[in-house]
Amino acid sequence: MKKNLRSAYSFGLTVILCLGTLAMSAVAQEVPPAPGAPKSGTIPAVKEVKLSNGLTVAVVERTSVPLVTVQLLVKSGASSEDITRAGLANLTASMLSKGTKTRSATQIAEAIEFLGGSLNTGAGWNNSIVNVTVTSDKVDEAMAILADVVLNPSFKQEELDLLRSQALDGLKFSLKQPGFLSSYVASKYSFGEHPAGGTPASLAAITRDDIVNFHADNFRPEKAVLIFVGDITMAAAETEAKKLFGSWRGPSSGSARAALRGSTEKPAVSSEGLRRILVVDLPNSGQASVSYLKSLQGIGRQDRNFYPSSVLNSVLGGGYSSRLNQEIRIKRGLSYGAGSGFSWRDTKSNFSTRTQTKNESAAEVAQLVMAEVKRLTDGAIEPAELTPRKSVLTGGFGRNLETTGGLAGAVSDLYSFGIPTTELNSFVSSVNGVTDTQIRQFAAKNLLGGDIIIVGDYSIFKDDLAKRFPGMKIEVIEADKLDIGNEALVK
């Protein structure tokens, strides 16, 4: 009996000590460790040659892993289409892998699968891409398929009908989701553009001739860059490019990019730093999407403010420890997450914040977002906050470049905007050189005077929104009457 009592006492004491140790560890871990010193690394130089037809061939040799990513970048995307044909660039790129003059869509998929690789196509606002990743001993076969889909697409009507049907079904579902609907409306209302994925009307209107003409006008060698990243030499890449793309020719003229403009309406900026408030009324929605949006005219990807704005974004909404997430999720539990970002263009950029919350707290979250945006304009950012936020940027950049696909994407981004590829090796130092003063000056000059867009059940937050933003005119559009192709946004 005494032995059992001693054993029980010993076990109980052990449990107490363990619990105490855990409690002390929890207290100790309340303060996260300081970030380590930034690591410097050198990315291999981008070697470049231009073929006689105008096609640029770029190569980054990385022999440590027997993989190669090949990406064909075409410097035309949704910016080259009209709103009446919104989604044309993306449909054209998607159709490339749906059949050529000698291969069906199934044969293309099976051939790539046999090589153990992947083939992807798509288009964004600034460009269209086709890329393939395979082991280095399969580059010849993969390149033959890539060249075939780029140069010889069949654009079969039945494949277009199927792809369009899938796109319309996906869009019909997405337009019931507050977050998607907010971005969809903002593309026109705040940024003066159109949804790159298309609208129900534009997708229905796109014909096979539209796709054939877009491909002929924009998929041209002088507008393209063929990028090789991985276990391949410059000599081998140039040989492949000449063999498969050397005879590529385009028409003498092509489509001009659509003009990029924000809204020309200039209402006075309120004391909250707002220009307008738009509510898209979506009755019975489970949640509300709350966004702040601002078109920054004249500040494109090549602008010297790219790095200050990038660090600013990391502070405001670039990750779990950013200010928006701290205030909205961590401190108040009003959302599963809140963030922000810049979408870059040639001569402008689109800034936006994003979060979803209960309809009951939509107005409160809008007020919190505006408070954090304004705080950037005059509040100090201490080194204890600024240094980790820079590390988030440089760490993500470094991780992305560890893969051949990630490095190809980074090189492609630079070529899209005509930026020297040497910037790959100056990214870390440029980020770390940004100061608190630069961020505050950029924010004060550029971030205020934007729009709040809330998508949700207006009946629930109507009174609270009016109370929190007194004197602001609140424009309301019913979701089922929305028409993005109309200047007034309603049918």
Side-chain angles (χ1 to χ4, degrees), residues 35 45 82 84 117 165-166 211 226 254 260 269 294 296 302 396 439 482 488:
D82 185 80
T84 62
S165 176
Q166 293 170 340
I211 289 176
L226 188 61
L260 303 181
V269 177
K294 176 75 186 299
L296 279 61
Q302 298 183 45
I439 292 173
L482 183 69

Side-chain angles (χ1 to χ4, degrees), residues 86-101:
L88 176 58
N90 193 50
L91 267 182
T92 302
S94 299
M95 283 289 291
L96 295 177
S97 62
K98 303 304 179 184
T100 69
K101 296 173 183 176

Side-chain angles (χ1 to χ4, degrees), residues 82-373:
D82 185 80
I83 190 169
T84 62
R85 293 296 185 270
L88 176 58
N90 193 50
L91 267 182
T92 302
S94 299
M95 283 289 291
L96 295 177
S97 62
K98 303 304 179 184
T100 69
K101 296 173 183 176
T102 57
R103 292 180 172 95
S104 68
T106 300
Q107 288 172 328
I108 292 170
E110 288 177 346
I112 288 294
E113 184 179 2
F114 179 76
L115 295 176
S118 60
L119 175 71
N120 299 290
T121 65
W125 187 261
N126 302 299
N127 53 50
S128 303
I129 62 166
V130 184
N131 68 43
V132 63
T133 298
V134 290
T135 54
S136 50
D137 60 330
K138 302 291 194 302
V139 171
D140 288 352
E141 298 98 316
M143 278 290 296
I145 298 171
L146 184 145
D148 194 25
V149 302
V150 171
L151 303 180
N152 306 305
S154 57
F155 297 132
K156 292 181 179 179
Q157 184 65 51
E158 57 267 32
E159 291 288 354
L160 172 58
D161 292 341
L162 177 59
L163 200 59
R164 188 209 324 272
S165 176
Q166 293 170 340
L168 285 169
D169 285 346
L171 187 56
K172 182 178 179 181
F173 170 80
S174 296
L175 287 174
K176 299 294 184 183
Q177 313 307 310
F180 178 89
L181 191 51
S182 177
S183 298
Y184 181 83
V185 173
S187 66
K188 179 69 177 292
Y189 183 77
S190 297
F191 301 142
E193 300 177 349
H194 61 259
T199 71
S202 69
L203 290 174
I206 292 171
T207 66
R208 180 181 181 275
D209 284 346
D210 291 327
I211 289 176
V212 170
N213 291 333
F214 186 90
H215 179 266
D217 286 345
N218 295 285
F219 280 70
R220 302 160 54 190
E222 72 274 16
K223 297 179 70 172
V225 183
L226 188 61
I227 301 167
F228 294 79
V229 175
D231 188 17
I232 189 169
T233 64
M234 180 73 229
E238 184 178 359
T239 298
E240 287 287 343
K242 286 180 177 178
K243 179 176 70 176
L244 296 168
F245 289 96
S247 60
W248 185 17
R249 295 291 184 272
S252 58
S253 62
S255 301
R257 287 196 176 190
L260 303 181
R261 296 178 317 206
S263 171
T264 56
E265 183 185 354
K266 297 294 183 183
V269 177
S270 71
S271 58
E272 293 87 0
L274 275 172
R275 185 164 66 114
R276 298 176 297 183
I277 297 179
L278 172 67
V279 173
V280 179
D281 188 15
L282 191 64
N284 303 312
S285 63
Q287 288 190 324
S289 169
V290 181
S291 301
Y292 174 73
L293 311 112
K294 176 75 186 299
S295 177
L296 279 61
Q297 299 296 321
I299 302 178
R301 175 60 180 84
Q302 298 183 45
D303 192 88
R304 61 183 177 84
N305 283 301
F306 172 74
Y307 288 103
S309 63
S310 297
V311 178
L312 175 154
N313 186 68
S314 186
V315 172
L316 179 66
Y320 187 81
S321 299
S322 65
R323 289 182 175 185
L324 286 176
N325 202 61
Q326 288 274 355
E327 291 298 321
I328 295 170
R329 173 181 175 166
I330 298 173
K331 291 183 181 179
R332 294 173 174 83
L334 295 175
S335 175
Y336 284 114
S340 63
F342 286 87
S343 294
W344 296 97
R345 310 290 190 247
D346 284 327
T347 58
K348 61 171 278 194
S349 57
N350 298 333
F351 172 75
S352 61
T353 71
R354 59 194 176 276
T355 188
Q356 289 197 173
T357 187
K358 304 186 300 294
N359 281 289
E360 291 82 356
S361 54
E364 179 185 359
V365 167
Q367 193 174 48
L368 289 171
V369 168
M370 289 311 305
E372 288 306 313
V373 171

Side-chain angles (χ1 to χ4, degrees), residues 409-464:
V411 173
S412 174
D413 182 64
L414 296 177
Y415 273 108
S416 291
F417 294 105
I419 298 170
T421 54
T422 51
E423 186 164 312
L424 285 173
N425 278 307
S426 63
F427 181 89
V428 172
S429 60
S430 296
V431 166
N432 286 325
V434 172
T435 66
D436 165 45
T437 300
Q438 286 177 303
I439 292 173
R440 281 187 280 117
Q441 288 176 345
F442 178 87
K445 185 176 180 180
N446 298 291
L447 284 199
L448 299 179
D451 306 324
I452 283 284
I453 296 180
I454 303 177
V455 180
D457 192 334
Y458 185 45
S459 65
I460 297 175
F461 59 82
K462 178 180 180 180
D463 293 340
D464 193 26

